[in-house]
Amino acid sequence: MSTLREAAGMTNQELIDRSGMSASYFYGRLRGSAPFDANDIEKLAQALGTHPHEISRVAASIGEAREIEPMVDTEPQELGRRLTAVSRAPRLDGSVFNIDELVSELAARGVAFDRDEWSSLIAGASSSPVRVRVLEGVGAYAGVSTAYLLDLGDAAAVEAAEANFEFREALKASGADSVSARAVGEISPAALRAIAQTLRSISAQ
């Protein structure tokens, strides 16, 4: 926050006044009592004459991101691989993953996000850490466990999610009702892959 404030030639008090926050609220969040929320970031961006995404980007680049909102340390290339898998698989309702729809859904959650940030993430070129709310929003939109995106060391989450992607792809190719993808419940990854193989065999006939 201080980097952008100083670049704008403002004092903390001027930033507080222009953003409409109280001093106690502003300083409490700087001390880490709570993260700045989406509305706060919008107000700060307006006061600083910049875009909300720029606040998060600069904060992440200098290691101050956690004062803005929750962040998670990640491995960019592996996260990029998983986000690519998410974007290629049909969603739970059978529809195609659409980046513009994702941006709109994240905006509705109060999360500033754009195509450039998405391109950086899937290319494995993003800086670490990454905003938790972005990954949670991607998971909610795609219908995948957030553990798959937030905990790269969770092998069970990887197996479950990627078997589910394989199942969804086979289901869509077979022309089956997309509701079936929602009804798989607690079927094991191995069973899902077996079902996917059966569906592909039927489709190939």
Side-chain angles (χ1 to χ4, degrees):
M1 187 65 66
S2 59
T3 300
L4 290 171
R5 176 181 57 74
E6 291 169 3
M10 297 169 60
T11 65
N12 274 333
Q13 189 57 54
E14 287 172 330
L15 178 57
I16 289 167
D17 292 341
R18 292 188 188 186
S19 66
M21 298 179 187
S22 69
S24 61
Y25 184 94
F26 178 83
Y27 286 114
R29 275 147 183 75
L30 283 186
R31 287 193 299 269
S33 61
F36 287 110
D37 64 23
N39 289 332
D40 297 334
I41 294 172
E42 287 282 352
K43 291 176 183 177
L44 291 167
Q46 288 179 4
L48 291 165
T50 189
H51 190 280
H53 173 56
E54 183 66 7
I55 293 179
S56 296
R57 186 191 68 76
V58 171
S61 71
I62 61 176
E64 295 180 358
R66 286 177 175 83
E67 79 178 33
I68 303 296
E69 64 176 308
M71 308 287 284
V72 62
D73 291 312
T74 187
E75 200 290 303
Q77 291 188 337
E78 176 59 17
L79 178 61
R81 185 194 73 78
R82 296 189 191 191
L83 289 172
T84 298
V86 168
S87 67
R88 288 177 176 170
R91 297 170 63 208
L92 275 179
D93 63 2
S95 64
V96 175
F97 187 101
N98 183 291
I99 182 57
D100 293 322
E101 287 182 1
L102 172 63
V103 169
S104 294
E105 287 211 7
L106 285 170
R109 290 168 166 253
V111 182
F113 188 73
D114 57 33
R115 278 179 165 271
D116 288 341
E117 186 172 358
W118 173 253
S119 296
S120 178
L121 285 170
I122 64 171
S126 65
S127 59
S128 182
V130 176
R131 289 178 290 159
V132 168
R133 292 193 303 155
V134 166
L135 299 181
E136 288 176 339
V138 172
Y141 172 74
V144 63
S145 166
T146 53
Y148 178 65
L149 301 175
L150 291 174
D151 185 357
L152 300 189
D154 188 338
V158 176
E159 181 70 7
E162 295 184 0
N164 194 275
F165 295 158
E166 189 175 332
F167 171 70
R168 292 185 204 178
E169 289 164 359
L171 194 66
K172 189 173 182 67
S174 73
D177 192 324
S178 62
V179 172
S180 302
R182 298 178 181 273
V184 296
E186 297 300 316
I187 296 177
S188 71
L192 277 179
R193 287 196 162 100
I195 295 170
Q197 179 60 43
T198 299
L199 288 170
R200 285 193 294 267
S201 297
I202 293 172
S203 299
Q205 293 177 1

